[in-house]
Amino acid sequence: SQTIHQWPATLVQPVGSPLSLECTVEGTSNPNLYWYRQAAGRGLQLLFYSVGIGQISSEVPQNLSASRPQDRQFILSSKKLLLSDSGFYLCAWTVAGGYNEQFFGPGTRLTVL
Amino acid sequence: QKEVEQNSGPLSVPEGAIASLNCTYSDRGSQSFFWYRQYSGKSPELIMFIYSNGDKEDGRFTAQLNKASQYVSLLIRDSQPSDSATYLCAVHNYGQNFVFGPGTRLSVLP
């Protein structure tokens, strides 16, 4: 069965510090991968998605970036965090193509102080 | 811009009652529809999906889809306090990204 991992689970970082969040998927090959952010009491905002290694599409211009160095690894990064980057970061995957459902990882709660 | 709308709630129902959650979407080409449950502080969990017009039942949950009206709903029978959560509606069009609604907060009162 497929499993999606995210780490760390929680993170408190000062403004201006760098960020690296990691997501890995097990039990599937060539998944579509997604990064979402959910601000407190808000809906899901799609940040990035990837259909393959090295292929990244950005939905919202901001100070975040994403990379996919391996088929089942997706990384979210920032060089300098802003207060507005605080939120609940969710990685998700789907089987490439078709109507397949999307599954979420456990999430990383980021607080920028 | 493709949109998915939900009543933010909270929707309060007594234990044992039927909870009815509604969702409308703007993209007429949407082909698959999903309901997620999100407990406070947790990630969304897929509970139902539906692709064809009509009803789909899974245990206490029934998803209903009406593509002509661009409307999808989720019924929860015999509601339990453990069903208290935010329910997210998501819509997908082939080859495009998922679009999520803002969620409806459901409170089941003992």
Side-chain angles (χ1 to χ4, degrees), chain A residues 87-109:
Chain A
F88 192 36
Y89 287 82
L90 293 157
C91 182
W93 74 274
T94 63
V95 173
Y99 299 83
N100 298 93
E101 49 269 40
Q102 188 166 93
F103 298 97
F104 287 87
T108 295
R109 188 160 304 280

Side-chain angles (χ1 to χ4, degrees), chain A residues 2-113:
Chain A
Q2 300 86 3
T3 307
I4 180 167
H5 302 279
Q6 285 187 248
W7 61 90
T10 60
L11 192 59
V12 179
Q13 292 284 93
V15 170
S17 64
L19 174 73
S20 181
L21 303 181
E22 189 164 342
C23 168
T24 59
V25 181
E26 296 178 356
T28 187
S29 296
N30 195 32
N32 291 339
L33 296 173
Y34 305 80
W35 279 112
Y36 291 88
R37 177 171 60 201
Q38 188 176 40
R42 305 287 294 276
L44 291 170
Q45 178 188 30
L46 179 63
L47 301 175
F48 300 95
Y49 67 94
S50 171
V51 299
I53 296 174
Q55 301 179 64
I56 307 295
S57 296
S58 173
E59 288 294 301
V60 182
Q62 53 208 320
N63 69 319
L64 299 172
S65 62
S67 62
R68 186 169 176 175
Q70 301 180 41
D71 180 44
R72 289 172 286 180
Q73 184 185 31
F74 204 21
I75 297 172
L76 182 69
S77 303
S78 175
K79 292 182 179 178
K80 288 186 177 182
L81 283 169
L82 307 172
L83 285 174
S84 58
D85 291 324
S86 293
F88 192 36
Y89 287 82
L90 293 157
C91 182
W93 74 274
T94 63
V95 173
Y99 299 83
N100 298 93
E101 49 269 40
Q102 188 166 93
F103 298 97
F104 287 87
T108 295
R109 188 160 304 280
L110 171 66
T111 302
V112 182
L113 301 174

Side-chain angles (χ1 to χ4, degrees), chain B:
Chain B
Q1 181 172 346
K2 300 180 177 65
E3 294 182 341
V4 175
E5 296 185 350
Q6 297 179 254
N7 189 321
S8 61
L11 172 65
S12 295
V13 299
E15 183 175 356
I18 296 175
S20 178
L21 304 164
N22 304 316
C23 171
T24 59
Y25 59 94
S26 63
D27 182 5
R28 190 169 286 279
S30 299
Q31 296 167 315
S32 48
F33 307 85
F34 306 89
W35 283 100
Y36 290 83
R37 177 176 61 199
Q38 186 175 22
Y39 292 114
S40 180
K42 302 296 185 181
S43 63
E45 172 193 11
L46 180 66
I47 53 173
M48 286 287 291
F49 58 90
I50 186 167
Y51 304 141
S52 303
N53 275 330
D55 295 359
K56 179 182 178 182
E57 186 174 320
D58 184 0
R60 294 188 297 113
F61 299 98
T62 299
Q64 299 175 316
L65 174 62
N66 184 326
K67 289 186 178 181
S69 300
Q70 296 175 246
Y71 175 90
V72 59
S73 65
L74 178 70
L75 300 178
I76 306 175
R77 290 182 299 281
D78 188 24
S79 295
Q80 301 297 309
S82 59
D83 294 325
S84 297
T86 297
Y87 289 80
L88 304 175
C89 173
V91 172
H92 184 233
N93 194 345
Y94 181 74
Q96 301 181 22
N97 288 319
F98 288 71
V99 181
F100 285 82
T104 297
R105 191 156 52 95
L106 172 66
S107 179
V108 180
L109 307 174

